[in-house]
Amino acid sequence: MPVIKDQQNIDEIRKRLYDRNAEGIKSTRHTLTKVTTDVSRGWGDVRKIVTTPAPSPEFKNPDEVDIQPLEITPVQKKRPYRKYILLASVGFFTLVAILSSVYLFFGVNQISAKNISLTISAPFGIAAGDSLPLQISVSNQNSVQVESATLIINYPSGTKTANEEARDIYEERIPIEVIAAGEALNIPTSILLFGEENEDKEIKASIEYRVSGSNGTFFKEAEPIKVKISSSPLVVKVESVEKVSSGQEIEIKIILQSNAAAVQRNLLVSASYPNSFIYSESDPKPVYGENEWLIDEIQPRSTKTIILRGRINGLAGEEAEIKFSVGTPRSDNQFIMGSTLSKTQTSYTIERAFIEVGVEINQDKDGTAVIDKGQDARVKINVKNTLDESIYDMRVEVTPKGNLVRDNQLVIDGGFYDSGSKVISYEVSGTPSLAEVRPGETKTFEFIVKADPNQTTGSFDVSTSVFAKRVGESRVSEQVVGTAIAQAKYSSEIDVSAQVGRNDGNFADVGPIPPQAQKETTYTITLVAEAGINDTSNMTLTTTLPQYVTWLDKYEGEGSVVFNTVNKQLLWSIGNLSAKTQKQLKIQVSLLPSVTQVGKTPIVMGVQELKATDRFTEVNLRAQNIALDTKLSTEAGFNNDDGKVVSGSTN
């Protein structure tokens, strides 16, 4: 269509547009371009846009216009060269890894642990305590030398060095340094091996080394060897009963027998007790606790005996075992077993008691009676035959033990007291009824322990043993035993005392003596708390001050003091107090008497109450002291009337 440049042309066009007889005007279409675009996979592969001009068809009617479709030339993909490089690298490294593994696996490298040989040589068996020779062989079959080599030998528990010191040894490290290619070394050593007869002891060895040009440490182990202990230099035997009644004391003999040709020195004997065994005593006495003994030496082919006594306390039918071990102690602790030479044990079964024994002290049947100081103790022993058959020739032995028991303070009914052995015995000769005790029959025995005013301890024990004979089905006599133990504890007494004074201790008292109405006079009060025959704990003293007495907050002594200004109560916390000892407290108070108190001796401190716990009997103890007034001691130079209040106008 022609370009319209002015209004005339516009009008001409408008006229043609609305003219029904006007012919159509042909126009030429704009030329279209064919564009081909290649989309690159990377930034560096950008294709240029290729433009191909298309022929311009003549303008036709809209219905005759032929529109050609846009053709896009496909972009041919280009494989990146980096992918080939990556695949080639992976393949190369995989090949190297495979070749290296094969190289190492088949041992064709210069250094390999398979090319190092390590062996241990020793006798198959040896007597415990004898010197054991060892031979360690090591050889290097590699084509290069090994460096910084160290031989490590691990020994079983209880091994000692073969030198004069004979110390415990668990691991030995022997430096070798360099082992040349193809070199073989033999390294000798020796030890003392201990253990029980027929016990196997395992010895291990290994070697640590390095190679030139490497910081790594390599390791090679030898095949462990076992050495049998052919014989023990010591044999342990135990002699004891197999059946026992609960409450019965038994005796155990531990016999150590030397099988060695040399003197056995410094031997440790250790016992392990069950819960039902209560240690009483032993000969010789233990060196540690109640179950460790040291034997200085045993001569060749000789024996040593330890006699052990204990009381059995358990249920009928219960079985128990006492274990014993003998060996050499550790060099750093003589009470710990280093190596064991021999072990043994003894067992027993608790049977139902044939004789039932009960002890009462002042009608207390619990086994522990608490008796007030100064009170006599009446002991009653009841013995009952629990069998279904009679028992014969009964003998009862009672042993009262303790510092409270005095020979001249015992009152015995029907028995005989042996002052040498300290035993009260009841036998058929003195009590004919003991010749036969029928089934279910009970015999009673009594005696009195009178109180000792000079007693130095707070208790005594009563140990009772009963012996008799019975005839069983086999018609063989056997000894039956019943036992019982009871204890009497004397309760301690505590005491409190107090005194009013002047200028006592570090306090300076002021004011008139005798006190005057409406004038202040100060006093120093001394309080003393004392324990009796037993130690005490948690001891406290409490008291109060009257309204007209003032607390000056001045005191000195042991323990702590707290004063309540509201109720005017004083609390003195004394704490623990040993038997027969005392503690004291001094305080200063001020008295302001009233005219109504003229001619009277006023109270300056109320009743003092002392409380404590008896640490032996675990009972609560109490003691009191009367209230204190202003009366002063005549021994200190005061008159009898110096405590009475006088009128102020008189003086």
Side-chain angles (χ1 to χ4, degrees):
M1 180 180 288
V3 180
I4 301 175
K5 297 182 179 180
D6 50 26
Q7 185 64 39
Q8 182 179 0
N9 291 337
I10 294 174
D11 292 339
E12 183 65 25
I13 292 172
R14 184 182 294 113
K15 181 178 178 180
R16 292 177 181 177
L17 179 64
Y18 293 103
D19 187 359
R20 293 184 177 181
N21 295 321
E23 293 181 359
I25 302 173
K26 294 183 179 180
S27 300
T28 304
R29 294 179 62 89
H30 293 287
T31 301
L32 298 178
T33 59
K34 185 177 181 180
V35 180
T36 301
T37 303
D38 184 11
V39 180
S40 174
R41 294 182 180 272
W43 289 102
D45 191 18
V46 180
R47 302 287 191 269
K48 293 183 179 181
I49 299 175
V50 180
T51 303
T52 304
S56 301
E58 294 183 358
F59 188 84
K60 299 180 180 180
N61 289 331
D63 296 335
E64 297 178 357
V65 176
D66 184 14
I67 301 175
Q68 297 294 330
L70 180 64
E71 295 182 3
I72 301 176
T73 303
V75 179
Q76 186 175 0
K77 296 182 180 179
K78 211 168 192 181
R79 188 177 300 275
Y81 66 91
R82 292 178 180 81
K83 186 172 183 180
Y84 295 106
I85 296 175
L86 177 62
L87 293 175
S89 300
V90 172
F92 174 76
F93 285 114
T94 302
L95 180 61
V96 170
I98 294 173
L99 293 176
S100 299
S101 300
V102 172
Y103 185 73
L104 293 173
F105 182 78
F106 288 101
V108 294
N109 56 325
Q110 288 184 332
I111 181 72
S112 172
K114 292 183 178 181
N115 296 330
I116 293 180
S117 174
L118 182 65
T119 58
I120 314 172
S121 299
F124 175 76
I126 191 173
D130 287 352
S131 178
L132 175 69
L134 294 176
Q135 187 83 10
I136 313 296
S137 300
V138 57
S139 63
N140 179 18
Q141 300 301 323
N142 291 286
S143 58
V144 296
Q145 69 179 18
V146 297
E147 302 173 350
S148 303
T150 302
L151 177 64
I152 305 170
I153 309 174
N154 298 105
Y155 300 115
S157 176
T159 304
K160 294 182 179 295
T161 57
N163 52 27
E164 294 182 358
E165 185 181 356
R167 58 179 178 83
D168 295 325
I169 184 171
Y170 304 97
E171 181 181 274
E172 186 177 8
R173 302 178 72 93
I174 302 174
I176 303 176
E177 298 302 332
V178 176
I179 305 176
E183 184 180 9
L185 299 176
N186 290 320
I187 304 169
T189 186
S190 61
I191 55 173
L192 299 179
L193 205 58
F194 292 89
E196 295 184 74
E197 189 172 348
N198 295 323
E199 182 181 3
D200 288 331
K201 294 290 186 176
E202 187 176 70
I203 301 174
K204 300 178 180 179
S206 60
I207 187 170
E208 292 180 353
Y209 61 92
R210 292 183 178 181
V211 295
S212 179
S214 174
N215 292 327
T217 301
F218 300 92
F219 185 79
K220 175 73 174 185
E221 279 187 330
E223 185 72 23
I225 64 167
K226 291 185 178 181
V227 179
K228 183 180 291 292
I229 303 297
S230 59
S231 63
S232 175
L234 201 67
V235 176
V236 183
K237 299 179 181 179
V238 178
E239 296 179 0
S240 182
V241 297
E242 295 181 356
K243 295 183 179 181
V244 62
S245 300
S246 180
Q248 180 181 349
E249 185 174 86
I250 64 173
E251 181 179 282
I252 302 171
K253 290 185 178 180
I254 309 153
I255 303 171
L256 311 179
Q257 182 177 350
S258 173
N259 285 339
V263 178
Q264 300 293 307
R265 292 186 173 87
N266 196 25
L267 298 174
L268 178 64
V269 182
S270 179
S272 177
Y273 305 135
N275 293 332
S276 58
F277 182 86
I278 302 172
Y279 171 85
S280 298
E281 60 181 353
S282 69
D283 183 22
K285 295 182 179 180
V287 294
Y288 181 77
E290 297 177 344
N291 63 333
E292 303 281 350
W293 296 266
L294 274 178
I295 306 299
D296 294 335
E297 65 176 37
I298 300 180
Q299 295 295 327
R301 310 303 177 186
S302 63
T303 61
K304 288 281 187 178
T305 302
I306 299 174
I307 299 177
L308 171 66
R309 296 181 181 89
R311 191 169 300 277
I312 305 302
N313 186 14
L315 301 176
E318 181 180 348
E319 296 182 356
E321 188 177 70
I322 304 177
K323 298 180 180 180
F324 301 94
S325 58
V326 183
T328 58
R330 282 172 40 177
S331 55
D332 59 341
N333 191 330
Q334 63 176 346
F335 303 124
I336 298 179
M337 190 74 69
S339 58
T340 303
L341 298 177
S342 183
K343 292 182 180 179
T344 189
Q345 65 279 329
T346 181
S347 59
Y348 57 82
T349 302
I350 301 177
E351 293 185 315
R352 182 176 66 92
F354 299 125
I355 297 177
E356 185 179 285
V357 183
V359 180
E360 299 179 17
I361 301 177
N362 285 6
Q363 299 181 345
D364 190 311
K365 301 179 181 180
D366 295 334
T368 301
V370 178
I371 304 174
D372 294 336
K373 180 182 178 182
Q375 182 182 5
D376 293 343
R378 179 176 291 274
V379 181
K380 180 185 290 188
I381 300 169
N382 299 311
V383 180
K384 181 180 180 180
N385 178 12
T386 61
L387 295 174
D388 296 331
E389 54 184 317
S390 295
I391 55 178
Y392 305 93
D393 300 335
M394 179 184 287
R395 185 177 85 255
V396 179
E397 294 183 354
V398 183
T399 306
K401 297 179 181 179
N403 291 338
L404 288 177
V405 179
R406 303 287 186 269
D407 293 348
N408 57 356
Q409 299 292 322
L410 292 175
V411 180
I412 303 170
D413 184 13
F416 172 74
Y417 177 68
D418 186 344
S419 58
S421 61
K422 308 296 183 183
V423 175
I424 304 172
S425 59
Y426 301 87
E427 299 181 0
V428 175
S429 59
T431 309
S433 62
L434 298 180
E436 180 182 0
V437 181
R438 299 179 182 276
E441 187 178 0
T442 299
K443 298 293 183 179
T444 301
F445 311 91
E446 294 187 15
F447 64 93
I448 297 174
V449 179
K450 298 184 68 66
D452 183 359
N454 299 318
Q455 56 195 4
T456 57
T457 103
S459 71
F460 68 87
D461 298 333
V462 176
S463 175
T464 305
S465 298
V466 182
F467 306 90
K469 296 179 180 179
R470 66 171 178 140
V471 179
E473 296 180 356
S474 61
R475 311 299 296 177
V476 177
S477 286
E478 53 183 321
Q479 194 87 359
V480 292
V481 180
T483 60
I485 295 178
Q487 185 180 51
K489 294 182 177 181
Y490 276 81
S491 179
S492 181
E493 290 184 352
I494 55 177
D495 186 54
V496 56
S497 58
Q499 183 177 358
V500 178
R502 292 271 295 182
N503 300 316
D504 192 1
N506 296 325
F507 302 129
D509 292 310
V510 297
I513 295 294
Q516 295 182 9
Q518 305 298 323
K519 287 188 178 182
E520 288 190 4
T521 298
T522 63
Y523 295 91
T524 298
I525 301 176
T526 301
L527 299 171
V528 179
E530 184 176 359
I533 59 174
N534 298 330
D535 294 343
T536 57
S537 61
N538 302 323
M539 181 176 286
T540 60
L541 183 145
T542 56
T543 186
T544 56
L545 301 181
Q547 285 182 291
Y548 48 84
V549 175
T550 302
W551 170 256
L552 299 179
D553 199 21
K554 293 182 179 180
Y555 57 89
E556 63 178 12
E558 300 175 270
S560 62
V561 177
V562 176
F563 183 77
N564 190 325
T565 57
V566 177
N567 58 13
K568 307 197 74 171
Q569 184 182 66
L570 172 67
L571 172 62
W572 178 24
S573 298
I574 303 169
N576 299 335
L577 195 58
S578 301
K580 298 295 185 179
T581 61
Q582 63 179 23
K583 290 183 180 181
Q584 68 176 11
L585 173 71
K586 294 182 182 295
I587 65 173
Q588 188 180 48
V589 297
S590 175
L591 169 68
L592 181 61
S594 169
V595 293
T596 60
Q597 293 176 313
V598 174
K600 299 179 181 179
T601 305
I603 298 296
V604 292
M605 176 176 283
V607 174
Q608 306 102 58
E609 184 174 8
L610 186 65
K611 298 179 181 179
T613 300
D614 191 319
R615 300 182 68 177
F616 183 58
T617 62
E618 298 183 354
V619 300
N620 296 324
L621 307 175
R622 291 176 180 269
Q624 282 188 347
N625 189 44
I626 60 174
L628 299 178
D629 55 30
T630 55
K631 185 177 180 180
L632 298 171
S633 173
T634 57
E635 296 179 358
F638 295 99
N639 298 321
N640 288 329
D641 294 334
D642 281 348
K644 292 182 179 181
V645 178
V646 297
S647 174
S649 58
T650 303
N651 296 306

